[in-house]
Amino acid sequence: MAALGLMLLLRGGLVSFGHALYFGIGAYAAGLLVLSGITEFLALAVLGTLATLLVAVILGAFVSRYRGIFFGLLSMALSMVFYGLLIKMQSLGSSDGFNLGGIHLLSIPMQGTAGQVPTYLMTLVLSVLAAIGIDKFLRSRYGLLTKALRDNELRVEYLGQSVRQLVLLNYIIAAGLAGLAGVLSAVAVGHIGPEMAYWSTSGEFVFMVILGGLGHVAAAFIGAGVLSAVQAVAYAAVSYTHLTLPTKRI
C-alpha cells in the first residue's frame, strides 16, 4: 500500500527517498493511541491516517516547491530527522521500540493466532479499496495531469492547473496510504520501532515500484510480492539478506 502511494508520485516524475517518514508516523500514531487505551482497529486506522495526513499537509506545503534530486533528498532528510527523534525518545522505547497488544475489531481479536485471519482480511480489503481509489484517481483529470506533469510542467500550467497544488495533492495522497500501511504493519507485527522510518525502508518502497513498474496499480502489489519473496529466499539461503537486497537495518 505504501508502494502504491509512491507509484503515484513517480508517475508525476517525483522520487521520494523518505516515504518511510509517513509509514513510521502512521505506526507510531497507532502505538500512542494503544498506549492511551484505544484498541479498536477502525479507530486506530482512521486516527493514524488522519495524523499522517496532517503532517503531510504541513510538510507538503514546503516540499512541493522542489523537484528532482532536491525533492528526493529533502524527503529523505525529513525522514531521518523523525528517525533521530524516535531514537532519542526513551518514553517510546528508543531504538528498541515497543509492543502493541489487545487490538481488536469490534469483538474480534486482531493479534495472536486467532487474529491472523481477521488481520489478513482487513489488510486485503483496505488494499483493494486503495487500489480501486488510486485507479479511479489516475483516470481522472488530476491523474491525467499527473502523467503530464512528468513530461512538461509548463504545459500543465498552461492548461490552468497549478503544478504546486497538483504535487501537493499527490504528496498528501501518497502520505495517507503510507500512514495507513504503517498502522496495518503495527497491528500485524505487534511491534513498532524507529527502523520503520529509516531510509532503507524508503528504499524498499522505491524498489517495489521499480520492480512492478508504473503501468497499472496492480504493479505496486506485484513488486512488493516479488521483493518479499526474494528476501525470504535470500534469508533462508544465506541468513543475511543485506548481501542480496537492501533491507531494514539490523
Side-chain angles (χ1 to χ4, degrees), residues 47-58:
L47 295 177
T49 304
L50 288 177
T52 307
L53 291 174
L54 178 60
V55 176
V57 170
I58 297 172

Side-chain angles (χ1 to χ4, degrees), residues 4 18 36 77 94-95 112 115 152 175 241 247:
L4 183 64
S36 66
S94 185
S95 59
N152 195 314
T241 54
T247 59

Side-chain angles (χ1 to χ4, degrees), residues 123-210:
T123 303
L124 179 62
V125 169
L126 291 174
S127 298
V128 170
L129 291 176
I132 293 174
I134 293 298
D135 184 64
K136 290 185 177 297
F137 178 81
L138 293 176
R139 298 174 188 273
S140 69
R141 174 177 180 270
Y142 292 107
L144 295 174
L145 285 174
T146 295
K147 187 175 181 180
L149 186 65
R150 179 180 58 190
D151 300 325
N152 195 314
E153 291 189 6
L154 186 58
R155 290 184 179 180
V156 174
E157 292 280 1
Y158 285 160
L159 291 173
Q161 174 63 51
S162 169
V163 169
R164 185 179 175 187
Q165 289 180 1
L166 184 59
V167 170
L168 179 59
L169 176 62
N170 291 340
Y171 186 82
I172 292 173
I173 294 174
L177 288 173
L180 180 56
V183 174
L184 290 169
S185 178
V187 172
V189 177
H191 179 83
I192 58 177
E195 71 277 357
M196 300 182 78
Y198 197 61
W199 67 266
S200 60
T201 304
S202 299
E204 287 187 18
F205 296 148
V206 174
F207 201 56
M208 289 174 187
V209 179
I210 292 174

